Amino acid sequence: MKKITLYISILIASSFFSSCDKGFDELNTNKVNPTALNPVYELNNATLRSSFTWQSVIYEAAIVQQIVSPYLGVNAGGNVNQNNTSVTGVNWQRYYREVNKHLVDVIAKTKGDASRSNLYNMARIWKAYTFMILTDSYGDVPYTEAGLGYLQGTMFPKYDAQQAIYTDILKELDEASAALDVNKTKEVSDIIYAGDVTKWKRLGYSLLLRAAMRLTKVDANTAQNYVKKAFAGGVMQANADNCILRHSAAYTNEIGSQLNGSERANFYLHGAFVNFLKSTNDPRLGIIALKYNTKLQDPTNFTKDPAAQIGIPAGYDQSSIAKAPNYPGAIEMYSQVDRTKIGKFDAPCFFVTFGQTQLLLAEAAQRGWISGNTVDYYKAGVKGHIQQFTEYDANSNVSDANIEAYFTANPFNAAKALEQINTQYWVASFMNNPEAFANFRRSGFPALAANPYPGKEIKGNFINRLSYPVDEISVNKANLDAAVARQGADDLDTKVWWDK
């Protein structure tokens, strides 16, 4: 948190000096070298801006039936069966405009510089991570020419096929993770791990595992090969290795700001999510959910009792919700994301976690790709996710005894191994919306019912990708059209390459 505050202070100071007229010419010509900015601060800016936007959270979380808005508007009734272009372009804008151009610049500045080799490889790992989000969301996207507008004057980047993008992402993660060296410069200003090379290695190999598992349906041999490399390289070992952006009073969580502000009504919990957690007496429900007892949402009159939580069923909006079964008397009395914990202003943002990683290892072990016991990985993954809630609030701790009681009441069923593992991955990816959406498509779990909200535009039960943003159609149409000709129609039904 101190590192983030320091970085924000640097940005504020920079803005202050740039706004002063006195001595500006002398300062600009004699004392400031605009190319001398330490590139680690560019990496920090990229990681800061990689946090998930509130619009993408409520949209993609609605797809996987975790969060829903009942109010009339683009997401009314959790409706994601229509092409809501006002939100489908959010990931694109965030990662291209605010993240990847900085990563491309860091890589260009540090490539070949032996004294900054760790920073070079850290940037490669983060770039691979953010491009996974982009290509998983849209399919074919600009990759090899992305971010080169300033460096090479490439203003209209071509789109790369997702298969080629994943081939390079796997190579980048494999090479960059192996190249990180504890004996070389430690980038202590890094806001994720303070330059801890061992943790960056574990992040790189955990992402390599994640990327490899994406290919289980389309290229099992390549998937198995890279899963083995990730396993041998060394993935996350505990929650202490989690890749987290810790917010502060100076740099607040965007989701927390909206959840405690004007967009509170868009963060109700979906009935499918609440009902699953209630059906297994999951201790996480009492941490995630908050239900007001009155329509006025009196901040002193609410319950966190898991048994009292009621999620909103799909297919209802504010004009029809009163007809829903178990209607609590007002929309405002359905369960919401707990803004006193999960939605705090300084709530952390989890990018890649030990819990998710262990669940992927459980699937890999079940497939016979790695050594180790499937059940052990599975239990470590679930326990890791339950225990990571203490990052939100110290009072969210669940005792080992209660966790073991949960496992006893909900034993692992080898006959339904993949379903059970990936349903838990769904829970473990709560508030990590791009990952929840991607793994839902890859694995087919959890088994969710289609959204019955009227006005469906898709052919199947769920959307398969996000449509390209309108402004990209305007400014880079020739390259976009080439991608559409190769990939398929720019609609919600077209599947991405690894989902074939």
Side-chain angles (χ1 to χ4, degrees):
M1 198 171 292
K2 290 181 179 179
K3 295 191 290 287
I4 294 177
T5 303
L6 174 61
Y7 179 63
I8 297 301
S9 298
I10 291 171
L11 292 180
I12 292 171
S14 299
S15 298
F16 172 78
F17 286 119
S18 66
S19 66
C20 296
D21 293 332
K22 185 178 180 180
F24 175 78
D25 290 339
E26 179 185 357
L27 180 66
N28 189 47
T29 58
N30 298 331
K31 297 183 179 181
V32 176
N33 179 357
T35 64
L37 176 67
N38 189 334
V40 73
Y41 295 128
E42 279 195 273
L43 175 63
N44 284 344
N45 190 47
T47 52
L48 281 169
R49 300 306 296 163
S50 295
S51 60
F52 310 126
T53 67
W54 69 272
Q55 298 102 321
S56 68
V57 165
I58 62 173
Y59 184 74
E60 290 172 295
I63 299 170
V64 296
Q65 299 183 5
Q66 293 178 331
I67 295 175
V68 63
S69 171
Y71 290 94
L72 294 175
V74 295
N75 284 336
N79 176 31
V80 290
N81 295 328
Q82 296 177 346
N83 192 11
N84 298 320
T85 55
S86 62
V87 288
T88 55
V90 169
N91 285 346
W92 188 286
Q93 294 162 357
R94 168 60 61 90
Y95 290 101
Y96 277 118
R97 295 179 183 177
E98 303 178 43
V99 177
N100 279 304
K101 65 179 181 181
H102 297 294
L103 296 173
V104 170
D105 194 49
V106 174
I107 291 169
K109 287 177 178 176
T110 56
K111 186 177 183 179
D113 184 350
S115 68
R116 308 304 293 273
S117 64
N118 281 333
L119 179 58
Y120 169 66
N121 289 300
M122 290 156 57
R124 293 170 75 190
I125 288 170
W126 203 255
K127 181 187 173 194
Y129 165 66
T130 56
F131 267 102
M132 280 182 65
I133 293 176
L134 282 166
T135 189
D136 290 344
S137 297
Y138 302 98
D140 294 4
V141 296
Y143 179 68
T144 54
E145 294 184 354
L148 296 177
Y150 175 76
L151 294 173
Q152 298 182 12
T154 305
M155 308 305 294
F156 306 103
K158 70 176 183 180
Y159 285 56
D160 297 87
Q162 187 180 62
Q163 181 175 4
I165 295 171
Y166 256 91
T167 298
D168 195 64
I169 283 174
L170 291 165
K171 176 191 73 67
E172 285 290 285
L173 289 170
D174 185 19
E175 290 181 359
S177 301
L180 287 165
D181 190 341
V182 295
N183 296 312
K184 294 186 177 180
T185 303
K186 182 179 180 181
E187 300 289 345
V188 295
S189 298
D190 148 47
I191 62 172
I192 297 295
Y193 291 125
D196 188 319
V197 174
T198 299
K199 290 187 176 182
W200 269 99
K201 270 185 173 286
R202 290 173 180 169
L203 170 63
Y205 283 120
S206 297
L207 280 169
L208 182 62
L209 171 66
R210 178 183 286 190
M213 292 299 288
R214 286 283 196 272
L215 311 188
T216 51
K217 288 197 294 190
V218 72
D219 190 347
N221 289 334
T222 298
Q224 181 177 358
N225 179 44
Y226 277 103
V227 164
K228 289 180 176 179
K229 287 187 175 186
F231 185 66
V235 297
M236 293 177 173
Q237 301 299 301
N239 276 338
D241 295 329
N242 284 346
C243 183
I244 310 171
L245 177 60
R246 292 180 173 86
H247 294 89
S248 69
Y251 191 82
T252 58
N253 185 316
E254 179 181 327
I255 296 167
S257 296
Q258 296 297 332
L259 183 55
N260 284 278
S262 61
E263 298 298 332
R264 182 186 308 173
N266 285 314
F267 288 88
Y268 284 90
L269 291 173
H270 198 291
F273 190 61
V274 171
N275 293 340
F276 173 76
L277 297 178
K278 287 180 74 171
S279 70
T280 56
N281 198 24
D282 196 309
R284 289 168 285 194
L285 182 57
I287 301 170
I288 291 171
L290 177 153
K291 179 184 176 296
Y292 288 97
N293 295 320
T294 67
K295 181 178 180 178
L296 297 178
Q297 296 190 343
D298 181 349
T300 66
N301 190 2
F302 59 83
T303 179
K304 296 185 181 183
D305 179 3
Q309 303 305 317
I310 304 175
I312 295 183
Y316 296 92
D317 59 30
Q318 66 189 89
S319 64
S320 60
I321 193 67
K323 300 177 182 178
N326 301 315
Y327 179 62
I331 290 176
E332 295 81 4
M333 295 169 64
Y334 279 107
S335 298
Q336 294 178 305
V337 176
D338 184 353
R339 71 174 188 270
T340 70
K341 290 184 178 180
I342 309 301
K344 292 195 298 186
F345 284 105
D346 62 350
C349 177
F350 291 86
F351 297 113
V352 185
T353 68
F354 168 72
Q356 291 171 320
T357 302
Q358 290 294 301
L359 289 167
L360 290 176
L361 290 179
E363 180 175 342
Q366 180 68 21
R367 293 176 180 275
W369 292 355
I370 60 170
S371 60
N373 186 279
T374 300
V375 179
D376 290 343
Y377 291 127
Y378 170 81
K379 293 179 70 174
V382 175
K383 184 176 182 179
H385 183 244
I386 293 173
Q387 292 180 330
Q388 82 181 40
F389 281 99
T390 57
E391 286 282 351
Y392 289 106
D393 191 291
N395 295 323
S396 298
N397 182 60
V398 179
S399 69
D400 288 345
N402 286 340
I403 294 174
E404 285 304 315
Y406 172 74
F407 286 131
T408 300
N410 302 278
F412 185 78
N413 183 353
K416 296 184 177 180
L418 294 184
E419 178 179 2
Q420 199 164 353
I421 291 167
N422 284 289
T423 299
Q424 285 295 337
Y425 197 91
W426 172 62
V427 179
S429 298
F430 179 68
M431 302 301 281
N432 188 333
N433 44 292
E435 185 59 20
F437 179 38
N439 199 68
F440 172 63
R441 287 173 288 160
R442 178 194 73 85
S443 69
F445 297 114
L448 301 173
N451 189 327
Y453 193 82
K456 175 181 174 181
E457 294 179 353
I458 59 175
K459 298 174 183 176
N461 290 331
F462 298 93
I463 74 170
N464 295 315
R465 61 181 287 274
L466 307 184
S467 59
Y468 294 122
V470 174
D471 53 359
E472 180 69 6
I473 297 172
S474 300
V475 301
N476 198 16
K477 189 175 187 301
N479 287 314
L480 185 149
D481 287 347
V484 170
R486 177 177 60 239
Q487 176 175 261
D490 181 24
D491 59 30
L492 307 180
D493 285 305
T494 295
K495 291 188 175 184
V496 300
W497 166 74
W498 50 252
D499 192 26
K500 296 293 189 287

